Amino acid sequence: VGSLLMKETDSAIITVYIGATVPTGFEHTAAEEVQEKIGVDARISKDRGRIYFPISTDKLFQVHRLRSVDNLFVVVEEYDHYQFKESKEETLMELQQLASKLPWSNALKVWELNRSLKKKKGHRKGGNSTRVKPDSEASVADTRQQELPRETSPAGGDAKTESVADPESCQQDSEEALPEARLIKFRVTCNRAGDKHSFSSNEAARDFGGAVQEFFQWKADMTKFDIEVLLNIHNEEVVVGIALTEESLHRRNISHFGPTTLRSTLCYGMLRLCKPQVSDVILDPMCGTGAIPLEGAIEFNSSFYVAGDNNDMAVNRTVNNVSHIQKRRADKGSSSGLPIDTVQWDVCNLPIKTSSVDIIITDMPFGKRMGSRKKNWDLYPSCLREMARVCRPGSGKAVLLTQDKKCFAKAVSQMGGLWRKVLTVWVNVGGLHAGVYLLKRTAAVFGQTPEDVRQPRGMNTNPGSVSLDWCN
Amino acid sequence: MKLLTHNMLTSHVKGVTKGYPLLIKATEVKVNDVDFNPQFVCRMIPKLEWSALVEAADLLGHRQDLPSELVPDYEKNEDFLKKVHRALLEVEVIEGCLQCPESGREFPISRGIPNMLLNEDEV
């Protein structure tokens, strides 16, 4: 696809740097995915949640296959040690002057190319048969472009510029492709972090934006823009970029949201962490709307997922989300069935045979929006015990996300005979600081370690009696 | 509910020691199209309770003459693997119930979702 376009526009294939925002804590897994799918090394920025990697324009479409990425942009220029002037006035003046000196043209070419890539995919949805049949990779990207559930349609810019009825004229667009020739709408978004700056992000956006407008004669529009210019300032690191994604990709699979639905990029990061193998049985025993197992069933589809929850609405939403994706696949003519099932159950008393699960992956109740801190003191140990029972000794793993780090740490420390902590990834979930814990199931057979023979349910006061009448 | 899931489900009613496999009573069954991955099927077979799978498939009318016992060298028999694939992943119970073989307790299946929640007195 990409190379077809380049021949027609007769531009040389160029290499540019792409920046990607990823869930903080998962920069390394994202870099791994880039290496795996694009074959290049990504650099992790000191500005958390960002990675950068080079790509040649003939391979640009591949960036849309990345599942660990929230947003993408093409780098116009990057300064590692930008020397800001002393005063605010001078600094802002310099930023204004910068606008006319930056090497915009390659980045703008990429922006243009990216836009036509997206338009083509949009038209495939309508079943345009004159186009070459998309290979499976393009279909995945296709999927991602269309799957913007419940969000507003792409920024007015797409519809605004020469509305393209067919791919032919789409290519002609790219040929004349000098943004200056059309009335382009743009906006500048500035992210600023650091304590030594004399200016605010608003001021920088305003002044830089003003200069960009002067230079290109574009029209400024905060909501219906074609081009989004990014000005990212992190201490002495300054990156100017042009956005390649309109809406954040992070809610791509979910059409039926719940109160605490996890973004798909975070789900993907957690799944990569546990490295699903062919035929792995993967359980999410507190699945909520099913975001994690659904992402797994799509992206790591040689495993089998069982999503479970005790809540009526949760299991129904999960089934709705699965059906939605299956219907979309069926509409495109591919086999629709996904390797996932949904069960209604109690995580502390799972109706699952002992030692039959390879991986447990779940978002544990934080005690803020769901459940409560006091409940967690009982819930977490019960959960961990039950999860240890169903998990295969020796080879089993668990990847657990929680904000209640203290309670979790205590519960795990009391399960040393069954679970071993391998690593922790610190993440940010809806503004809350949380941890993703990777645990390995020890080789100890359940029912024989001191903890599970004598451990009473919960860590609150009275031991009570312990019932260990597991069926198998 | 797919039969692969059924193969792992067990009754956990208090006091029950022979709660597996659950008996299936289906009033609505559907067959889906799921991509065939021979490696997946091969590696899954040793993890299964084979007789439970065959009995369940038989009951639902989708046994496709799968043998009661595994024959050696099944890894290379693509025909066989495809049948197992269909039984495991493509046949789904949409409405019906699962019954505990020992206590007789029924767990309803609705919209493909088995409800395995127990009442307080059963825990």
Side-chain angles (χ1 to χ4, degrees), chain A residues 278-279 281 302 304 310 316 319-320 335-337 340-345 349 351-353 358 392 471, chain B residues 2 4-5 7-12 16-17 20 33 35 39-40 43-44 47 111 113-117:
Chain A
V278 177
S279 88
V281 173
S302 326
F304 184 73
N310 63 351
N316 278 303
V319 161
N320 289 343
S335 61
S336 61
I340 181 171
D341 233 340
T342 306
V343 181
Q344 192 166 6
W345 63 34
N349 199 353
I352 297 271
K353 283 193 296 174
D358 295 292
R392 272 187 245 280
C471 303
Chain B
K2 297 172 167 40
L4 176 46
T5 305
N7 207 262
M8 295 184 276
L9 287 175
T10 178
S11 166
H12 51 320
V16 164
T17 51
Y20 179 90
D33 218 357
D35 279 335
Q39 223 193 8
F40 173 92
R43 296 202 192 169
M44 190 59 85
K47 300 181 186 181
R111 296 189 73 208
I113 309 169
N115 184 345
M116 308 298 295
L117 289 174

Side-chain angles (χ1 to χ4, degrees), chain A residues 159-405:
Chain A
K160 207 261 175 243
T161 51
E162 287 85 341
S163 56
V164 219
D166 62 83
E168 293 298 274
S169 55
C170 170
Q171 283 171 14
Q172 282 160 18
D173 271 356
S174 323
E175 283 179 295
E176 22 172 15
L178 292 172
E180 294 94 297
R182 310 195 292 273
L183 179 57
I184 295 267
K185 289 198 201 158
F186 84 108
R187 80 169 185 191
V188 172
T189 303
C190 177
N191 288 305
R192 189 200 64 76
D195 17 300
K196 300 212 177 89
H197 302 135
S198 57
F199 57 92
S200 72
S201 57
N202 279 342
E203 288 165 336
R206 178 198 65 205
D207 285 11
F208 184 67
V212 168
Q213 181 171 31
E214 268 296 308
F215 181 65
F216 284 113
Q217 292 298 300
W218 292 338
K219 186 171 187 309
D221 192 323
M222 285 308 290
T223 50
K224 290 185 163 57
F225 49 90
D226 301 299
I227 295 184
E228 182 173 23
V229 176
L230 304 166
L231 178 58
N232 293 329
I233 303 173
H234 183 254
N235 292 322
E236 287 187 333
E237 186 189 78
V238 175
V239 180
V240 180
I242 298 180
L244 296 177
T245 48
E246 288 149 348
E247 309 274 356
S248 197
L249 302 164
H250 57 69
R251 284 274 161 73
R252 57 181 166 251
N253 300 329
I254 303 299
S255 43
H256 295 78
F257 287 84
T260 57
T261 297
L262 266 191
R263 51 186 170 153
S264 302
T265 42
L266 195 47
C267 296
Y268 180 83
M270 287 174 67
L271 282 158
R272 263 202 96 98
L273 214 54
C274 61
K275 299 195 201 315
Q277 304 296 302
V278 177
S279 88
D280 271 350
V281 173
I282 303 185
L283 232 69
D284 181 350
M286 294 180 271
C287 66
T289 51
I292 299 174
L294 187 49
E295 178 73 16
I298 295 169
E299 196 60 19
F300 297 93
N301 60 6
S302 326
S303 305
F304 184 73
Y305 299 82
V306 186
D309 205 291
N310 63 351
N311 180 288
D312 278 347
M313 281 201 300
V315 290
N316 278 303
R317 281 194 182 123
T318 298
V319 161
N320 289 343
N321 284 322
V322 174
S323 297
H324 180 86
I325 302 275
Q326 290 186 154
K327 182 169 187 307
R328 218 178 55 192
R329 285 156 66 105
D331 286 347
K332 280 199 287 197
S334 36
S335 61
S336 61
L338 288 170
I340 181 171
D341 233 340
T342 306
V343 181
Q344 192 166 6
W345 63 34
D346 171 8
V347 62
C348 297
N349 199 353
L350 292 170
I352 297 271
K353 283 193 296 174
T354 297
S355 306
S356 55
V357 172
D358 295 292
I359 297 176
I360 301 206
I361 177 167
T362 197
D363 173 5
M364 302 187 61
F366 284 5
K368 279 202 152 43
R369 274 179 280 179
M370 270 297 185
S372 68
R373 282 291 166 93
K374 177 171 188 305
K375 264 190 181 159
N376 286 353
W377 285 101
D378 288 328
L379 178 68
Y380 280 23
S382 297
C383 263
L384 281 173
R385 273 228 332 282
E386 191 59 344
M387 295 197 269
R389 179 184 68 78
V390 303
C391 209
R392 272 187 245 280
S395 59
K397 289 177 266 196
V399 174
L400 309 171
L401 167 66
T402 180
Q403 198 237 347
D404 201 342
K405 301 165 285 238

Side-chain angles (χ1 to χ4, degrees), chain A residues 43-94:
Chain A
R43 178 173 66 83
I44 295 168
S45 166
K46 280 176 255 146
D47 187 3
R48 297 182 72 215
R50 283 211 182 89
I51 65 170
Y52 294 93
F53 57 92
I55 198 162
S56 53
T57 40
D58 56 334
K59 301 207 165 66
L60 186 67
F61 67 95
Q62 292 175 346
V63 300
H64 294 291
R65 291 161 53 204
L66 297 171
R67 310 286 289 186
S68 44
V69 160
D70 285 322
N71 281 297
L72 291 160
F73 58 91
V74 53
V75 175
V76 174
E77 185 65 277
E78 195 184 339
Y79 303 93
D80 274 338
H81 298 287
Y82 192 90
Q83 295 305 315
F84 290 101
K85 293 273 185 289
E86 286 288 319
S87 75
K88 176 180 353 189
E89 244 177 27
E90 287 178 300
T91 304
L92 291 174
M93 175 69 85
E94 199 176 52

